[in-house]
Amino acid sequence: MNGRMHSIETFGTVDGPGIRFILFLQGCALQCQYCHNPDTWETNEGKLITVDEIVKEIKPYLSYYRSSGGGITVSGGEPTLQAPFVAELFTELKKQFNLHTALDSSGFNDYDKISYLLDVTDLILLDLKIINREKHIALTSQPNDRILNSARWLSDHGKPMWIRHVLVPGITDAEEDLRELGQMLATLKTVEKFEILPYHQMGVYKWEALGKQYPLEGVPSPTAEEVARAYDIIEQARQEALQ
């Protein structure tokens, strides 16, 4: 089976536990205004790859992944758009190396239809961008009904997840939106970790190279104080919802 790859990273340290092999796949249904990989959006681009080719790429680094408690994370784009390929890859890596597997996903899919992939996935890194539906459409071009349903599906089916939220000043940092996120987190039973990812401008050059106008021109990265404020608001709302 073939997949469409954007790129790989052999020593990732932020997309799951330990040192990880990161496979970035091509294709995404969202068009996030802050996306730092807009060159992954098109589904018919990228390099065609096989499972065997990725297994061979991973082999030289196995000792690092194993000794650090790491493994492989498949990201994108949106990796679940290539669910059959990723499931075959994860199955083979489990069979050969018993390697820890993770998906970095927006959740924009029907998880009932790709449960076979989740069966061979140890961890889901789920990006919750904003809970308000209309603001989500403005930010990503798509509603978030599927994404919220995916979060509930993962919780209901006992699937471990890390929840991640990109904090963009003036866009995803309103108190009411952060409180809604905290309330949502309170309903999820399998969240092992929650992370705020400060917005950055490192992908602007890719937008320019693609001839696209960058929609967040002039928006600054959040300060440490703004990040701490967001954590406080989210946690307070989560605790209140749990009472």
Side-chain angles (χ1 to χ4, degrees), residues 22-35:
I22 316 294
L23 172 62
F24 296 91
L25 295 182
Q26 194 71 28
C28 189
L30 304 183
Q31 296 188 2
C32 298
Q33 291 183 343
Y34 53 70
C35 182

Side-chain angles (χ1 to χ4, degrees), residues 25-87:
L25 295 182
Q26 194 71 28
C28 189
L30 304 183
Q31 296 188 2
C32 298
Q33 291 183 343
Y34 53 70
C35 182
H36 59 277
N37 284 324
D39 46 341
T40 65
W41 290 355
E42 294 298 327
T43 57
N44 293 322
E45 296 184 2
K47 178 186 177 183
L48 283 175
I49 51 166
T50 66
V51 166
D52 286 346
E53 287 173 328
I54 298 302
V55 170
K56 288 177 183 177
E57 289 279 356
I58 288 173
K59 276 185 178 179
Y61 310 104
L62 274 175
S63 60
Y64 297 100
Y65 305 145
R66 285 172 168 160
S67 63
S68 68
I72 181 173
T73 298
V74 180
S75 184
E78 173 50 52
T80 64
L81 293 182
Q82 299 188 51
F85 172 79
V86 182

Side-chain angles (χ1 to χ4, degrees), residues 144-176:
N144 59 357
D145 307 73
R146 281 185 175 186
I147 294 167
L148 299 182
N149 287 339
S150 293
R152 297 184 188 102
W153 189 98
L154 293 169
S155 177
D156 291 344
H157 288 78
K159 301 295 184 181
M161 53 181 150
W162 290 7
I163 300 292
R164 310 208 285 188
H165 174 68
V166 178
L167 191 70
V168 187
I171 297 177
T172 67
D173 64 345
E175 182 172 351
E176 63 269 22

